[in-house]
Amino acid sequence: MIIRENSNGYYFMEQDRHAHISGTLAGAWRRDLFLMQEQFNKVGLAITQHDRGWADLDEHILLHYETNKPLSFVDYPIKKKIDAYTQGVDEMEAIDEYSALLMSLHYTSFFRGKIDRIGCEFTNKEEKRQRRLHSHFSFDDREKQGLHFHFQLLQLCDNLSLYVCMNEWGVKKEQEVLWFQDGFPQQLVPLGNEKIQAQWQSEHEVFLNPFPFYKDEITVSIPYKYFEKNEIKQATINTLYKKKPFQYHNVTFSKFDS
């Protein structure tokens, strides 16, 4: 669950639904900026489905035992997260091996440089899976470059969706989530290795530079549920969450107006 707090309550945005926003952005990517276009659909599948393992977890909201705050994907118990990652990649491997490889690479990148035991065990298992899946493809130099681009595109589209979910809508640059204040870390070859910068223009519009989509504007709809803080109780939160309907907030990505 992606959770954003304000003074009165919490916005809840489900991980799997956030991933579908990522998939919408991937589908709008300019074809002339896409390496190995024959893999376009498989890459889009991986990006759209990359958080499918979270679907069950988001049906069971957990609260911190001391603060009573709902746990987001950032502070969710690591073992439960890793089980969800594994389930998601397992399910995708049964559908498409190339998409599963991208998802596996995405998840293991979370633990790069870390020494957490559970994370290391997960990484070792996934790296074995990656070697096995790699062996099913030839991966000449062109295909290796394509795979790296597809992996970066997954992470970029993931970050673009997180940007519009985690930030207060319309927030000033200096008040954005720190992850995104200096642009997105992915540097894609078709964009000249230039990092994409984002900036809110209003509650419903974000400027991007450079702009990588085939239309001048791309609009996404963010499903969310909002709860007042006095509604957050472990005994009832999951029942209340299931009953409350989604609300929707539209955000349009457009070209930077110089």
Side-chain angles (χ1 to χ4, degrees), residues 136-150:
H136 297 174
F137 303 94
S138 61
F139 283 117
D140 57 23
D141 288 343
R142 171 181 172 272
E143 291 167 336
K144 289 177 182 177
Q145 291 174 354
L147 177 65
H148 181 64
F149 166 77
H150 299 155

Side-chain angles (χ1 to χ4, degrees), residues 2 15-16 18-20 22-23 43 45-54 73 81-82 84-86 88-89 92 97-114 119 122-123 126-127 129-130 133-134 147-162 179-180 185-186:
I2 299 167
Q15 288 282 91
D16 188 42
H18 131 77
H20 281 71
S22 303
V43 176
L45 177 65
I47 295 174
T48 302
Q49 297 290 326
H50 78 265
D51 275 337
R52 63 184 291 135
W54 275 97
F73 74 98
K81 284 200 288 191
I82 284 178
Y85 299 161
T86 302
V89 182
M92 184 51 62
E97 292 180 339
Y98 192 82
S99 302
L101 176 58
L102 290 172
M103 285 175 57
S104 179
L105 290 168
H106 178 59
Y107 286 135
T108 54
S109 73
F110 300 167
F111 302 98
R112 192 175 297 130
K114 297 182 180 180
F122 168 75
T123 298
E126 284 303 313
E127 286 179 345
R129 187 204 304 262
Q130 291 165 18
L133 293 176
H134 250 276
L147 177 65
H148 181 64
F149 166 77
H150 299 155
F151 163 65
Q152 285 194 308
L153 183 62
L154 191 165
Q155 297 207 307
L156 174 62
C157 291
D158 182 33
N159 279 335
L160 286 168
S161 180
L162 289 174
W179 293 2
F180 311 120
Q186 292 74 37

Side-chain angles (χ1 to χ4, degrees), residues 44-233:
L45 177 65
I47 295 174
T48 302
Q49 297 290 326
H50 78 265
D51 275 337
R52 63 184 291 135
W54 275 97
D56 291 338
L57 294 186
D58 283 344
E59 293 182 357
H60 304 283
I61 296 166
L62 300 182
L63 305 183
H64 192 280
Y65 71 99
E66 290 181 338
T67 65
N68 207 47
K69 289 185 176 183
L71 299 180
S72 74
F73 74 98
V74 176
D75 43 24
Y76 208 83
I78 185 65
K79 180 63 167 60
K80 290 180 180 291
K81 284 200 288 191
I82 284 178
D83 287 346
Y85 299 161
T86 302
Q87 176 186 335
V89 182
D90 285 347
E91 290 174 354
M92 184 51 62
E93 187 174 354
I95 299 169
D96 184 83
E97 292 180 339
Y98 192 82
S99 302
L101 176 58
L102 290 172
M103 285 175 57
S104 179
L105 290 168
H106 178 59
Y107 286 135
T108 54
S109 73
F110 300 167
F111 302 98
R112 192 175 297 130
K114 297 182 180 180
I115 58 174
D116 175 87
R117 179 184 61 81
I118 298 176
C120 288
E121 290 175 355
F122 168 75
T123 298
N124 289 337
K125 289 180 181 178
E126 284 303 313
E127 286 179 345
K128 289 181 181 178
R129 187 204 304 262
Q130 291 165 18
R131 288 192 292 271
R132 174 169 51 78
L133 293 176
H134 250 276
S135 69
H136 297 174
F137 303 94
S138 61
F139 283 117
D140 57 23
D141 288 343
R142 171 181 172 272
E143 291 167 336
K144 289 177 182 177
Q145 291 174 354
L147 177 65
H148 181 64
F149 166 77
H150 299 155
F151 163 65
Q152 285 194 308
L153 183 62
L154 191 165
Q155 297 207 307
L156 174 62
C157 291
D158 182 33
N159 279 335
L160 286 168
S161 180
L162 289 174
Y163 180 86
V164 296
C165 291
M166 294 177 68
N167 278 307
E168 178 186 348
W169 298 315
V171 69
K172 294 181 179 179
K173 172 58 71 174
E174 61 270 20
Q175 296 173 326
E176 286 181 358
V177 174
L178 287 175
W179 293 2
F180 311 120
Q181 285 186 8
D182 295 324
F184 303 102
Q186 292 74 37
Q187 295 176 275
L188 282 64
V189 170
L191 294 177
N193 294 314
E194 182 179 357
K195 292 198 301 184
I196 290 180
Q197 305 288 333
Q199 185 168 333
W200 290 92
Q201 299 305 300
S202 70
E203 291 185 3
H204 293 279
E205 186 174 22
V206 171
F207 281 173
L208 294 181
N209 184 41
F211 190 79
F213 303 120
Y214 68 84
K215 294 193 295 184
D216 289 343
E217 294 183 347
I218 299 296
T219 299
V220 298
S221 186
I222 305 167
Y224 70 94
K225 298 183 182 185
Y226 184 80
F227 285 84
E228 301 285 342
K229 290 184 177 179
N230 60 14
E231 297 181 272
I232 306 296
K233 299 176 183 178

Side-chain angles (χ1 to χ4, degrees), residues 3-4 6 17 38 44 65 69 74 142 189 237:
I3 296 174
R4 176 159 54 82
N6 66 11
R17 293 173 185 265
E38 65 271 22
Y65 71 99
K69 289 185 176 183
V74 176
R142 171 181 172 272
V189 170
I237 183 60

Side-chain angles (χ1 to χ4, degrees), residues 24-41:
T24 297
L25 297 173
W29 194 265
R30 279 173 50 185
R31 301 302 192 270
D32 61 315
L33 298 178
F34 192 94
L35 301 183
M36 284 184 63
Q37 294 191 29
E38 65 271 22
Q39 299 287 29
F40 186 85
N41 290 337

